[in-house]
Amino acid sequence: MSGGISLSVMPATAPVHVTVTGAAGQIGYSLLFRIASGQLLGTDQPIVLRLLEIEPAMKALEGVVMEIDDCAFPLVEDIVSTTDLDTAFDGASWALLVGSVPRRAGMERGDLLAVNGGIFGPQGRAIAANADSDVRILVVGNPCNTNCLIARANAPEIPPDRWFSMTRLDENRAKSQLARRAKVPVSSVSKLAVWGNHSATQFPDYAHALIDGKPVTEVLDDMAWLRGDFLTTVQKRGAAIIDARGLSSAASAANAAADSVVSIRTATSDDDFTSLAVVSRGEYGVPEGLQFGFPVRTDGKGGWSVAEGLSHDDFASDRIRITTEELMGERSEVSELLA
């Protein structure tokens, strides 16, 4: 036997395909660099970016791709830019549905739902036909709960528990408001659930939240503020940003999308939960099938469950009723799109 050293070579990690729709938009632009840097799936996971846009935005997307190239991200193995749904979702393990039609002056909410239904229904069918068998889908484009419901209904081949819509931005906003009021770091706030719809009816649940392990209602002995300015600030934060900035939330929404994916793929600590809108299985009396914001715990293996045993006083119950009724109304308005 000859002398020498035998080296075993570990196989390279296969890239994960990540689809982002509306990739040249404000949120997409902010999100792509977070994905490419490893914030979404980890700093040792190579990726292929699959970027979907409408034809008029392809020139802008070309510039975005140039910028990603210029960053020389080690994890980015390939970038696919396309207007074709089948190409966009081909082999995708993560689909981040960001692109949607914003509400315009004079547009009723029902009109907005119908227009976006024409986007998310075909996307749902394309995901079912082309994505990887382990695909997870996060809907960011608003109205995200019902857009997610439409896409999910058009992809019955995909298990309902693979579909999520984003309430993490609301959770982040609520944590920031509580931390500022208590004069503590945001990291001091835990167990902040957002119930219901990502809209002005959402209910950020201060009653079960903790600050440094103590109930918020003990640390902040100001129920008038908690039931008043705190709730309305979180519920109307998006409109306030538009008023101040002249544009809707982008960087904060992208940050929340990345936070959501990290929460889905990593285990929640035993003493916390996160805010995600998931398919209701009847928890807390919410009608089955709604895409509803709950306090969610994840197991780090792709599974999740709604946190159990939380009680609500009359005030909270009424707020949850209001947001539930709104989502039921939205479901009725798009019933013809639920294949």
Side-chain angles (χ1 to χ4, degrees), residues 167-181 186 189 192-194 202-206 209 211 216 220 225-226 230-231 233-235 237 275:
T167 52
R168 182 58 178 266
L169 179 55
D170 309 306
E171 175 190 333
N172 289 348
R173 287 168 169 169
K175 283 183 172 179
S176 178
Q177 293 299 314
L178 292 174
R180 177 174 294 186
R181 186 77 171 187
V186 172
V189 184
L192 194 292
V194 175
Q202 64 174 274
F203 178 58
D205 187 358
Y206 56 82
I211 296 177
V216 163
L220 298 174
W225 179 79
L226 289 169
F230 166 69
L231 287 185
T233 296
V234 177
Q235 290 169 338
R237 188 68 161 186
S275 297

Side-chain angles (χ1 to χ4, degrees), residues 70-330:
D70 292 348
C71 290
F73 289 113
L75 296 175
V76 178
E77 293 202 358
D78 194 14
I79 304 174
V80 178
S81 302
T82 185
T83 60
D84 178 68
L85 290 175
D86 292 334
T87 303
F89 294 110
D90 185 26
S93 290
W94 286 93
L96 310 183
L97 309 188
V98 177
S100 63
V101 175
R103 190 169 182 171
R104 300 186 179 96
M107 182 182 284
E108 297 295 331
R109 190 169 180 86
D111 299 329
L112 179 67
L113 290 166
V115 170
N116 279 301
I119 296 172
F120 286 86
Q123 287 184 0
R125 293 191 289 274
I127 292 169
N130 297 282
D132 197 82
S133 60
D134 70 348
V135 68
R136 263 71 177 173
I137 307 99
L138 174 69
V139 179
V140 177
N142 285 322
C144 64
N145 294 60
T146 297
N147 285 343
C148 187
L149 172 67
I150 293 167
R152 171 165 59 83
N154 280 271
E157 305 92 332
I158 299 175
D161 62 2
R162 303 284 188 85
W163 295 85
F164 307 87
S165 54
M166 193 173 78
T167 52
R168 182 58 178 266
L169 179 55
D170 309 306
E171 175 190 333
N172 289 348
R173 287 168 169 169
K175 283 183 172 179
S176 178
Q177 293 299 314
L178 292 174
R180 177 174 294 186
R181 186 77 171 187
K183 297 183 172 64
V184 298
V186 172
S187 58
S188 296
V189 184
S190 61
K191 286 193 170 181
L192 194 292
V194 175
W195 298 78
N197 202 3
H198 175 63
S199 75
T201 69
Q202 64 174 274
F203 178 58
D205 187 358
Y206 56 82
H208 295 101
L210 305 175
I211 296 177
D212 289 326
K214 298 178 181 178
V216 163
T217 51
E218 292 182 13
V219 178
L220 298 174
D221 186 17
D222 190 346
M223 195 60 69
W225 179 79
L226 289 169
R227 291 184 172 183
D229 287 348
F230 166 69
L231 287 185
T232 57
T233 296
V234 177
Q235 290 169 338
K236 299 178 180 180
R237 188 68 161 186
I241 289 171
I242 292 173
D243 183 59
R245 183 172 175 257
L247 296 167
S248 60
S249 308
S252 58
N255 178 71
D259 285 346
S260 297
V261 171
V262 172
S263 293
I264 293 165
R265 68 178 187 83
T266 58
T268 311
S269 65
D270 293 338
D271 58 351
D272 205 355
F273 39 67
T274 190
S275 297
L276 286 164
V278 295
V279 60
S280 171
R281 299 156 174 163
E283 299 94 340
Y284 294 95
V286 174
E288 292 188 17
L290 286 184
Q291 199 74 24
F292 196 88
F294 284 111
V296 170
R297 290 192 172 103
T298 54
D299 62 10
K301 301 176 183 178
W304 57 264
S305 61
V306 173
E308 299 178 346
L310 303 181
S311 60
H312 298 106
D313 61 16
D314 289 345
F315 180 86
S317 296
D318 189 55
R319 294 304 179 275
I320 293 172
R321 175 190 61 79
I322 290 169
T323 196
T324 302
E325 289 176 353
E326 181 180 58
L327 281 170
M328 291 175 64
E330 289 184 9

